[in-house]
Amino acid sequence: MSKLIVIGVVLILIIVGGVYYGYYYFSTGNLNIYIQDPPGNLQNLKIYLTISSIMIHKINGSWITISNKSITVLLTSNITFITSARIPAGEYNEVFLEISSAQVEMGNLNISAKIPSEVFKIHIINGMYLKGGSSESLLISFPHVTFANGEIIISPSVTAQVIS
């Protein structure tokens, strides 16, 4: 009789584990985030952004944190991977990047750049629908750099789009 109990408990544990894994797998998807500066935009400048937080906005109104780890990236015309996360399935329309610093290298000079409000609230062109068990990739295309009143200003007009 005790063998039947052990077998029954093991079967229940396998079923519960399978249901939990299935629910988790099919109710979430994987999101990869990439960054790129369009070719010709840098005008021989090297721009380093330190991103301290990445969040994504679900259409129902909630913000989901993707990363709170500081990531420093060099903006180039190459597509650069910055992070990935497993998030709930659903429709998303914005990405939020909190920037802790922006440095511009001009020859031998390193200059701090100004980012209005120190955040980028980025619209996802045509939105993104993440299906449970699937994977999507977002490409964030970076802004224009302007020189005004002796300051280097990074424009907050950033967009994101789903890429394959």
Side-chain angles (χ1 to χ4, degrees), residues 54-85:
I54 303 170
M55 298 173 73
I56 191 162
H57 184 256
K58 197 168 183 183
I59 295 281
N60 73 2
S62 63
W63 284 93
I64 298 165
T65 300
I66 302 296
S67 173
N68 277 327
K69 182 179 90 173
S70 281
I71 304 164
T72 300
V73 292
L74 169 63
L75 292 182
T76 70
S77 59
N78 297 322
I79 294 175
T80 304
F81 173 79
I82 57 173
T83 194
S84 69

Side-chain angles (χ1 to χ4, degrees), residues 36-50:
Q36 178 185 35
D37 190 59
N41 192 31
L42 294 178
Q43 306 156 352
N44 298 321
L45 302 176
K46 289 185 178 178
I47 301 174
Y48 295 89
L49 291 179
T50 301

Side-chain angles (χ1 to χ4, degrees), residues 75-148:
L75 292 182
T76 70
S77 59
N78 297 322
I79 294 175
T80 304
F81 173 79
I82 57 173
T83 194
S84 69
R86 194 143 194 93
I87 61 173
E91 289 184 74
Y92 295 88
N93 63 349
E94 290 179 311
V95 177
F96 183 86
L97 299 180
E98 185 175 335
I99 308 298
S100 58
S101 76
Q103 296 292 317
V104 178
E105 189 177 295
M106 295 173 44
N108 292 334
L109 294 174
N110 286 326
I111 302 166
S112 291
K114 181 179 180 181
I115 298 174
S117 76
E118 298 178 350
V119 297
F120 290 113
K121 193 171 183 182
I122 305 162
H123 175 72
I124 301 171
I125 298 169
N126 298 321
M128 178 188 79
Y129 183 73
L130 181 66
K131 296 177 186 171
S134 72
S135 183
E136 289 289 351
S137 295
L138 276 181
L139 176 61
I140 298 172
S141 294
F142 256 84
H144 307 289
V145 177
T146 58
F147 300 94

Side-chain angles (χ1 to χ4, degrees), residues 1-17:
M1 187 65 137
S2 64
K3 280 187 175 184
L4 288 177
I5 293 173
V6 170
I7 291 171
V9 168
V10 168
L11 283 175
I12 289 172
L13 289 174
I14 290 171
I15 291 169
V16 168

